[in-house]
């Protein structure tokens, strides 16, 4: 299924708003000018502008044209936030463990997976380089790859920051065993048991696990419904609590998907400096953007070395690569000390291989191809979901990454939905895995990276049936109808 042209334009304009290219009150190109640039019809462009008006992103002025709406930091309700985010110790690891165990069967539809379809990640060039180094005796000296890691690899990673206008030396990079190791090391470097840290209220479960492991007191920051990041709530919490470290995802957020725009990032940086707080930024999906420039990390905006930027190759080359890094100008020594007491060093053979692969143009070619494929697959799944899910479901779509975040109608419990689908060997990720709050959990995360064959399509139809079943379960008369007529599901 193809994405409609007007939707494409809507996504493109949203991206320009999110990355700061379009600020408040910027005039959009006239219908005619936009038609000339895009080659779309005037009606298509009008449809796109009207969608943006309906979503509050754009307003129209009589006889003047269309303009970007005023940026609104204050959608969040002040009173709620501080009440709901009392510091607390975390206990989430057992929940995550049992969820992962349940979703590991081999004949499974992996909409629950946190990683892209392996077929999209496979690259013959890297395999050739790997085979070349595997045949060498000995496989490069181990010392060369001990913390802070392979110099050539660190140089290659540093160069990619420089391309974004962030001065970085190889010595600012420490190679780790994946992004999770990077996040854990960064958090351990900056905290002691009992310290207060701030996490987004909905976030990748690895962040909660890291806090649990270190016995930290966690405060949560509410998500801004429109911009992802809630600046007003952020400043309130910094004033209310002695927060030492924040750990955030600001680009292609897992699970929700948003990318915070540059204006908000600038303000976050100034608040970090004002309140003397450190930030661990999880930027594991940084390469998976589909329009414009690669989103900037916080170290672009912050100049007191308060940001420890963590990422990895897991989402672009595969989780089994297990190579990540931390970028920090200040804490390299301390991180290396901690590595010597935990993972020691990342795999030598893989470090050598990556260092050489990334230095070739094949890495960027691989990324380009991957972005194109993931973008197409995401759009395809998005449109299938629009077609099959009940209209009371809201699908949060962002043009980066490969997750779709689906809001189920208010009363539906996403864990019950997960259990129903599990019995049909279909994996989805329910929202209680991303939050520590005992609030109604009516969201699910779906991985959109898989090839949409008939089996996957059938799984989407089953998902829709299961949601409808849960909706109608609330209505006893209809439930009776389901019980007496086994085909009732399919006809919904
Ligand atoms: C947001 C986020 N951070 C970190 C990780 C861990 O990545 P790695 O496999 O590189 O340790 C994941 C993996 O799912 C993730 O989604």
């Amino acid at each position: 299924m193809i994405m409609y042209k007007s939707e494409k334009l809507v996504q493109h304009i949203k991206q320009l708003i999110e990355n700061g290219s379009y600020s408040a009150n910027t005039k959009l190109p006239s219908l005619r000018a936009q038609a000339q640039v895009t080659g779309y019809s005037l009606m298509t462009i009008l449809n796109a502008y009207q969608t943006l008006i309906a979503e509050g992103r754009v307003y129209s002025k009589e006889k003047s044209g269309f303009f970007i709406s005023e940026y609104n930091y204050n959608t969040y309700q002040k009173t709620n936030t501080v009440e709901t985010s009392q510091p607390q110790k975390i206990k989430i690891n057992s929940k995550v463990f049992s969820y992962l165990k349940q979703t590991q069967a081999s004949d499974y539809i992996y909409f629950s997976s946190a990683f892209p379809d392996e077929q999209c990640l496979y690259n013959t060039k890297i395999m050739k380089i790997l085979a070349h180094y595997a045949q060498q005796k000995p496989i490069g000296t181990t010392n060369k790859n001990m913390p802070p890691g392979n110099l050539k690899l660190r140089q290659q990673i540093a160069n990619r920051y420089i391309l974004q206008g962030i001065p970085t030396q190889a010595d600012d990079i420490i190679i780790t065993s994946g992004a999770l190791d990077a996040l854990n090391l960064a958090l351990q470097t900056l905290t002691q048991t009992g310290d207060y840290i701030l996490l987004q209220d909905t976030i990748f479960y690895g962040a909660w696990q890291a806090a649990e492991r270190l016995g930290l007191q966690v405060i949560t920051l509410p998500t801004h419904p429109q911009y992802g990041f809630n600046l007003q709530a952020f400043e309130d919490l910094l004033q209310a609590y002695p927060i030492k470290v924040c750990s955030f995802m600001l680009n292609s957020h897992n699970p929700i998907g948003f990318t915070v725009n540059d204006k908000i990032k600038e303000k976050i940086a100034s608040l970090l400096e004002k309140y003397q707080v450190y930030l661990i930024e999880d930027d594991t999906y940084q390469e998976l953007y589909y329009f414009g420039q690669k989103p900037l990390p916080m170290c672009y905006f912050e100049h007191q070395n308060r940001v420890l930027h963590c990422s990895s190759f897991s989402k672009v080359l595969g989780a089994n690569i297990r190579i990540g890094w931390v970028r920090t100008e200040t804490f390299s020594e301390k991180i290396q000390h901690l590595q010597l007491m935990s993972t020691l060093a990342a795999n030598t053979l893989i470090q050598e291989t990556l260092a050489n692969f990334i230095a070739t143009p094949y890495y960027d070619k691989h990324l380009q191809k991957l972005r194109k494929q993931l973008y197409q697959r995401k759009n395809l799944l998005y449109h299938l979901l629009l077609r099959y899910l009940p209209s009371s479901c809201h699908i949060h779509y962002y043009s980066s990454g490969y997750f779709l975040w689906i809001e189920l109608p208010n009363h539906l419990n996403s864990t019950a939905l997960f259990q129903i689908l599990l019995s049909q060997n279909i994996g989805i990720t329910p929202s209680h895995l991303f939050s520590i709050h005992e609030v109604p959990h009516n969201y699910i995360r779906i991985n959109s990276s898989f090839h949409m064959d008939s089996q996957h399509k059938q799984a989407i139809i089953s998902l829709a049936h299961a949601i409808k079943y849960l909706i109608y379960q609330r209505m006893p008369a209809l439930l009776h109808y389901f019980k007496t007529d086994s085909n009732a599901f399919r006809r919904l």
Side-chain angles (χ1 to χ4, degrees):
M1 206 181 305
I2 319 154
M3 190 180 196
Y4 295 114
K5 287 175 182 167
S6 68
E7 287 168 24
K8 248 186 188 167
L9 185 58
V10 167
Q11 294 309 336
H12 181 55
I13 293 172
K14 278 187 188 170
Q15 188 76 20
L16 294 173
I17 298 172
E18 280 162 23
N19 70 23
S21 308
Y22 277 167
S23 52
N25 303 317
T26 302
K27 189 173 179 191
L28 281 173
S30 69
L31 297 179
R32 264 175 220 296
Q34 191 74 272
Q36 267 176 2
V37 175
T38 56
Y40 298 163
S41 72
L42 289 176
M43 192 47 88
T44 301
I45 289 155
L46 187 59
N47 276 340
Y49 283 12
Q50 277 171 342
T51 305
L52 289 162
I53 290 173
E55 290 182 9
R57 302 282 182 124
V58 165
Y59 65 95
S60 68
K61 257 201 233 166
E62 224 177 288
K63 296 195 182 140
S64 307
F66 298 89
F67 297 84
I68 302 298
S69 300
E70 196 67 51
Y71 173 69
N72 177 11
Y73 292 129
N74 295 320
T75 311
Y76 118 99
Q77 318 259 298
K78 242 184 181 185
T79 45
N80 279 345
T81 316
V82 179
E83 271 169 24
T84 56
S85 54
Q86 293 299 322
Q88 56 179 299
K89 285 207 170 171
I90 308 297
K91 270 199 170 306
I92 200 170
N93 195 43
S94 305
K95 190 161 78 174
V96 175
F97 184 81
S98 100
Y99 159 77
L100 290 175
K101 284 282 167 205
Q102 287 181 81
T103 54
Q104 274 170 359
S106 56
D107 53 345
Y108 214 67
I109 299 282
Y110 287 109
F111 290 133
S112 52
S113 170
F115 296 94
D117 182 353
E118 276 177 14
Q119 284 169 5
C120 303
L121 302 179
Y122 187 80
N123 184 287
T124 48
K125 296 284 174 202
I126 195 170
M127 289 305 158
K128 276 191 186 153
I129 298 174
L130 181 63
H132 168 78
Y133 281 101
Q135 278 160 12
Q136 282 190 359
K137 293 181 204 156
I139 311 162
T141 60
T142 313
N143 280 349
K144 216 169 101 185
N145 296 287
M146 289 292 277
N150 181 294
L151 178 60
K152 184 168 175 187
L153 177 57
R154 290 187 290 119
Q155 265 159 354
Q156 292 302 323
I157 294 172
N159 288 347
R160 298 184 83 82
Y161 284 94
I162 293 167
L163 283 177
Q164 285 194 290
I166 305 164
T168 304
Q169 298 175 1
D171 283 349
D172 303 333
I173 307 293
I174 306 109
I175 302 297
T176 60
S177 300
L180 199 54
D181 187 34
L183 292 170
N184 274 296
L185 287 164
L187 196 58
Q188 196 174 355
T189 298
L190 296 174
T191 58
Q192 287 174 345
T193 310
D195 279 347
Y196 283 34
I197 65 162
L198 180 64
L199 299 185
Q200 286 150 310
D201 64 357
T202 303
I203 191 72
F204 165 57
Y205 41 74
W208 303 115
Q209 288 168 301
E212 176 174 345
R213 194 173 72 88
L214 296 171
L216 301 171
Q217 294 281 350
V218 176
I219 301 156
T220 57
L221 175 70
T223 303
H224 191 289
Q226 191 175 355
Y227 297 102
F229 194 87
N230 201 321
L231 272 176
Q232 183 61 56
F234 183 41
E235 180 148 27
D236 285 354
L237 290 167
L238 289 175
Q239 269 169 6
Y241 296 105
I243 292 165
K244 202 166 180 187
V245 179
C246 308
S247 180
F248 296 150
M249 277 196 84
L250 302 170
N251 297 329
S252 203
H253 179 274
N254 176 11
I256 302 176
F258 60 77
T259 293
V260 170
N261 72 37
D262 288 355
K263 280 201 177 143
I264 301 183
K265 287 179 184 167
E266 256 170 46
K267 298 223 162 133
I268 296 173
S270 66
L271 289 172
L272 292 175
E273 290 172 6
K274 180 171 168 192
Y275 290 90
Q276 304 279 293
V277 173
Y278 289 102
L279 170 66
I280 297 171
E281 184 181 8
D282 180 351
D283 206 0
T284 305
Y285 298 77
Q286 59 176 337
E287 295 292 354
L288 299 180
Y289 58 96
Y290 304 138
F291 288 113
Q293 306 287 317
K294 176 160 139 183
L296 289 163
M298 282 299 298
C299 41
Y300 179 88
F301 301 95
E302 200 282 329
H303 304 295
Q304 291 180 358
N305 300 327
R306 300 198 154 270
V307 178
L308 281 72
H309 185 245
C310 302
S311 191
S312 76
F313 296 100
S314 299
K315 309 293 172 172
V316 293
L317 292 171
N320 50 1
I321 292 274
R322 301 261 25 94
I323 300 282
W325 69 92
V326 184
R327 179 199 178 278
T328 166
E329 290 171 42
T330 321
F331 293 102
S332 176
E333 281 278 318
K334 183 145 187 217
I335 292 177
Q336 290 176 56
H337 272 80
L338 292 173
Q339 281 184 304
L340 286 175
M341 288 192 286
S342 55
T343 44
L344 191 60
N347 184 296
T348 297
L349 178 59
I350 305 287
Q351 287 198 63
E352 289 282 348
T353 303
L354 271 184
N356 287 284
F357 177 60
I358 289 170
T360 69
Y362 295 114
Y363 180 49
D364 276 309
K365 278 194 187 142
H366 171 80
L367 292 178
Q368 276 165 17
K369 189 172 156 211
L370 178 65
R371 285 183 199 119
K372 198 170 160 195
Q373 210 166 20
L374 292 179
Y375 175 63
Q376 283 171 349
R377 289 184 178 189
K378 186 168 189 175
N379 286 328
L380 189 67
L381 182 58
Y382 175 58
H383 284 89
L384 262 190
L385 290 167
L386 282 180
R387 187 160 140 206
Y388 287 109
L389 295 194
S391 56
S392 49
C393 293
H394 176 59
I395 308 166
H396 293 251
Y397 174 98
Y398 295 91
S399 48
S400 65
Y402 47 88
F403 294 132
L404 288 164
W405 184 238
I406 302 173
E407 188 175 350
L408 306 172
N410 249 343
H411 51 273
L412 288 198
N413 178 343
S414 59
T415 310
L417 181 65
F418 165 71
Q419 291 298 347
I420 293 178
L421 292 167
L422 192 66
S423 65
Q424 301 174 33
N425 280 359
I426 300 167
I428 55 162
T429 315
S431 47
H432 76 271
L433 283 172
F434 303 108
S435 164
I436 49 162
H437 294 299
E438 293 302 323
V439 290
H441 281 295
N442 61 315
Y443 289 83
I444 55 170
R445 189 193 70 185
I446 298 277
N447 180 327
S448 66
S449 69
F450 298 97
H451 172 58
M452 193 45 68
D453 55 16
S454 56
Q455 220 190 351
H456 282 81
K457 190 168 172 198
Q458 188 50 50
I460 290 300
I461 295 171
S462 302
L463 165 68
H465 286 154
I467 294 173
K468 286 174 188 169
Y469 173 74
L470 286 174
I471 293 175
Y472 287 101
Q473 210 181 25
R474 301 264 154 173
M475 304 175 197
L478 282 164
L479 193 61
H480 170 74
Y481 168 65
F482 279 116
K483 282 183 180 152
T484 52
D485 176 357
S486 58
N487 282 324
F489 244 177
R490 306 212 167 268
R491 291 201 300 272
L492 279 172

